[in-house]
């Protein structure tokens, strides 16, 4: 099919779509001549990069759309990429949705969190934050100063039966169960709004006085915490001041790359004032060069701008290097804005310096991202809050228990329950159990038994329930876990299932599975839980099989009954351990003699 289409390709400008066996769109591209451009993929062989060779290997069909000009092809390509997000196109992760801090001022007990959706719902939004650092600083200041709730309950209309872990670790005063009044909480929220609105001086004076007072009382840990709060307030104040730079009406683009990751910064300068710094991240770059990155960034950043609109376009767009189609992009933007928009690469002077400054900022963004990926521990909160957002949970899942089932052809069926608290394993809370029911290979009924027995014991002992129950498996295991919760009248406990094949998360409230990006801290967290539960279940299954094998062999030895079998198992741990033990080692075990030890060695060979 592909060979036939290659022979009949037109020489006109247009857009081409490469598709896989299942009809999935793998790649969208534009061309001055569809015939020349599309055929080039199937020629050259090893001369192409690894990514292109893999793309060609997967192509099962192609489609072309002929348009009237290069400009129309550019616009159509940008729209199709945004709609289909083909896996082989360069991915711009932020895609024009920049993070804001949202304060739900319309609620009786407002929440403060990060969002990328700005809607007219009565909430107060602060941002956009185009650099990661200031956003983290702002949230850290709020967390250190105020006990704002992180749950999603619609308070006064719904509430949990008891305070969550945030209350016990001092991060919340539990207004959900009436331990903090509405008036006290509102006063706290008003101060948060002032800080985010830029009025930090009064709060700064209060914090500084408290810091000095703590130092006077020799409470140096508290003084250090307040010192960090002061630094955060100073950062917020600097970020909210207007920056002025030399120049006129222009966007300045900087680019940085490291391996298959990249970052770009766009300085938006209007009338000499730096109004914003937009950060865009790239992923899965493979063998793409910087010209390809700039082409992807420039076309998708400026075309189909949505809420920004063409009216916000500058008179100049300054780039660090040229790319194919740069002039065409300028023509399209000029026509869309109704005035001349120049897209060019400055060679010297102040404008060249600004491009260098933007590229330096892009390197900082990229380095910050890579450092944070390396230090998993510092990203625990990011994973927890991200998981709450992705799964739409009522509370931050600070306590998560994950279940897994292990057996060999239905024999020695066991279950594991591993517990993570604040993103880290609590091995003292790990539990494993033998499945009592004769379910054989029925993992669903085994899962229902495991979840039910574990939570029933928690209820009986009046111990805290987990914020999230996670099971290893798909929709079947999820249904089993829900049945166990329903039988215990624990339907309010959140439950999810993680399927290993495609790393999909299934929820009771959603027909479609939740998918996260491979580098998402929330996905890393649930993967760690799933892998730890699997490891713990398999190790217990192996232990039981080893014990059963040992007992079955020892039962043939005259004079070695169940009691002595258990003693040997405890002392040596496995068949191999007993076989490798000397006669003297066995004889030293209480209840064994040299004669019996010799008999055991003779039977085991």
């Amino acid at each position: 099919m592909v060979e036939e289409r290659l022979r009949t390709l037109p020489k006109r400008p247009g857009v081409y779509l490469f598709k896989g066996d299942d009809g999935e769109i793998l790649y969208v591209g534009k061309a001055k001549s569809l015939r020349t451009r599309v055929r080039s993929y199937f020629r050259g062989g090893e001369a192409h990069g690894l990514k292109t060779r893999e793309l060609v290997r997967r192509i099962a069909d192609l489609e072309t759309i002929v348009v009237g000009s290069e400009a129309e092809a550019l616009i159509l390509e940008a729209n199709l990429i945004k709609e289909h997000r083909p896996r082989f196109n360069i991915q711009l992760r932020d895609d024009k949705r920049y993070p804001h801090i949202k304060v739900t001022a319309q609620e009786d007990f407002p929440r403060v969190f990060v969002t990328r959706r700005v809607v007219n719902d009565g909430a107060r939004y602060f941002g956009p934050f185009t650099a990661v650092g200031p956003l983290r600083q702002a949230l850290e200041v709020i967390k250190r100063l105020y006990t704002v709730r992180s749950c999603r309950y619609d308070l006064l209309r719904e509430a949990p039966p008891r305070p969550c872990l945030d209350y016990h670790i001092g991060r919340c005063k539990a207004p959900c169960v009436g331990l903090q009044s509405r008036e006290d909480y509102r006063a706290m929220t008003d101060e948060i709004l002032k800080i985010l609105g830029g009025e930090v001086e009064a709060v700064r004076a209060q914090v500084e006085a408290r810091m000095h007072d703590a130092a006077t009382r020799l409470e140096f840990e508290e003084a250090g915490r307040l010192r960090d709060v002061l630094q955060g307030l100073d950062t917020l104040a600097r970020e909210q001041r207007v920056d002025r730079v030399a120049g006129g009406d222009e966007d300045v683009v900087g680019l940085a790359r490291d391996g298959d990751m990249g970052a770009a910064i766009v300085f938006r300068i209007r009338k000499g004032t730096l109004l914003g710094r937009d950060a865009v991240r790239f992923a899965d770059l493979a063998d793409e060069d910087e010209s390809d990155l700039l082409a992807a960034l420039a076309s998708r950043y400026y075309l189909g701008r949505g809420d920004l609109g063409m009216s916000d376009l500058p008179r100049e767009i300054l780039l660090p290097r040229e790319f194919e189609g740069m002039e065409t992009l300028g023509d399209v933007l000029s026509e869309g804005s109704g005035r001349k928009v120049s897209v060019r690469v400055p060679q010297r002077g102040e404008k060249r310096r600004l491009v260098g400054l933007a590229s330096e900022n892009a390197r900082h963004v990229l380095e910050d991202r890579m450092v944070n990926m390396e230090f998993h521990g510092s990203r625990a909160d990011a994973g927890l809050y991200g998981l709450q957002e992705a799964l739409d949970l009522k509370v931050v899942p600070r306590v998560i228990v994950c279940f897994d089932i292990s057996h060999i052809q239905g024999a020695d069926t066991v279950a594991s329950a591993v517990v993570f608290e604040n993103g880290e394993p609590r091995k003292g809370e790990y539990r494993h159990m033998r499945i009592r029911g004769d379910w054989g290979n029925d993992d669903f009924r085994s899962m229902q038994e495991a979840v039910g027995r574990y939570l029933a014991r928690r209820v009986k002992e009046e111990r805290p329930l987990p914020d999230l129950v996670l099971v290893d498996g798909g929709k079947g295991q999820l249904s089993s876990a829900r049945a166990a919760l329903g039988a215990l009248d624990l339907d309010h406990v959140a439950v999810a299932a993680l399927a290993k094949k495609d790393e999909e998360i299934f929820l009771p409230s959603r027909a479609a599975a939740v998918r996260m990006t491979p580098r998402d801290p929330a996905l890393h967290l649930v993967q760690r839980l799933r892998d730890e539960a699997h490891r713990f279940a398999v190790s217990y299954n192996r232990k039981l099989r080893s014990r059963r094998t040992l007992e079955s062999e020892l039962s043939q030895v005259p004079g070695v009954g169940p009691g002595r079998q258990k003693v040997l198992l405890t002392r040596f741990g496995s068949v191999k351990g007993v076989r490798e033990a000397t006669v003297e080692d066995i004889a030293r075990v209480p209840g064994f003699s040299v004669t019996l030890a010799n008999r055991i060695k003779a039977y085991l060979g």
Side-chain angles (χ1 to χ4, degrees), residues 260-322:
D260 67 343
M261 294 187 297
I265 286 288
V266 181
F267 286 160
R268 291 186 287 114
I269 301 172
R270 303 295 183 269
K271 297 181 180 178
T273 300
L274 180 59
L275 298 183
R277 307 170 180 84
D278 293 344
V280 179
R281 295 180 290 111
F282 301 94
D284 304 324
L285 297 182
D287 52 358
E288 308 286 354
D289 59 30
E290 289 192 7
S291 295
D292 295 329
L293 299 190
L294 276 176
L297 169 69
S299 62
R300 275 178 268 165
Y301 181 88
Y302 289 106
L303 299 176
R305 291 168 62 84
D307 58 333
L308 289 178
M310 287 288 183
S311 60
D312 187 55
L313 290 173
R315 296 190 177 278
E316 280 188 318
I317 298 174
L318 306 180
L319 303 171
R321 61 183 301 169
E322 295 182 348

Side-chain angles (χ1 to χ4, degrees), residues 74-260:
L74 183 66
I75 297 172
L76 181 57
E77 179 202 35
N79 290 334
L80 289 175
I81 290 174
K82 189 169 185 178
E83 178 182 355
H84 298 290
R85 292 186 174 274
R87 67 171 62 185
F88 282 90
N89 282 95
I90 296 172
Q91 299 298 319
L92 276 62
R93 293 299 188 191
D94 287 336
D95 197 24
K96 297 308 302 163
R97 289 194 174 187
Y98 305 111
H100 291 68
I101 293 179
K102 179 177 181 178
V103 182
T104 57
Q106 77 279 17
E107 296 179 347
D108 293 306
F109 293 89
R111 296 167 293 140
V112 183
F113 56 91
V114 176
T115 183
R116 291 183 181 271
R117 296 181 64 247
V118 178
V119 295
N120 186 19
D121 58 358
R124 293 282 302 278
Y125 294 87
F126 298 88
F129 287 84
T130 55
V132 178
L135 176 62
R136 289 183 181 160
Q137 288 277 12
L139 285 178
E140 187 61 24
V141 167
I142 292 169
K143 289 178 184 178
R144 287 176 178 270
L145 276 177
Y146 303 105
T147 54
V148 62
R149 70 186 181 102
S150 60
C151 65
R152 296 189 176 191
Y153 287 105
D154 186 4
L155 295 188
L156 300 185
R157 296 177 182 83
E158 59 177 350
R162 60 177 67 89
C164 67
L165 184 63
D166 278 9
Y167 169 74
H168 298 288
I169 62 177
R171 293 195 178 191
C172 180
K173 295 182 179 179
C176 56
V177 294
L179 298 182
Q180 184 180 22
S181 69
R182 181 179 177 183
E183 292 72 21
D184 182 53
Y185 196 96
R186 269 289 170 185
M188 178 183 71
T189 305
D190 290 341
E191 288 192 23
I192 292 173
L193 291 172
K194 288 181 180 178
I195 290 176
L196 293 174
E199 300 178 28
V200 299
E201 290 304 321
V203 177
R204 191 188 190 287
Q206 295 175 15
V207 174
E208 189 169 14
R210 288 166 54 192
M211 180 185 69
H212 291 309
D213 183 55
T216 302
R217 298 194 308 270
L218 304 183
E219 297 176 358
F220 299 116
E221 184 175 345
E222 175 66 8
R225 185 186 72 83
L226 293 171
R227 178 204 59 207
D228 294 340
V229 171
L230 280 178
Q231 293 174 352
L233 289 172
D234 290 340
T235 300
L236 279 177
R238 286 196 302 272
E239 182 70 16
Q240 289 158 347
R241 285 197 289 265
V242 176
D243 294 318
R244 293 201 170 270
V245 298
D249 184 20
E250 57 218 1
D251 280 2
V252 184
V253 180
L255 189 65
R257 177 179 179 176
D258 191 314
D260 67 343

Side-chain angles (χ1 to χ4, degrees), residues 244 298 309 410 472 514 523 568 574:
R244 293 201 170 270
D472 181 19
V514 176
L523 178 60
L568 283 175
S574 67

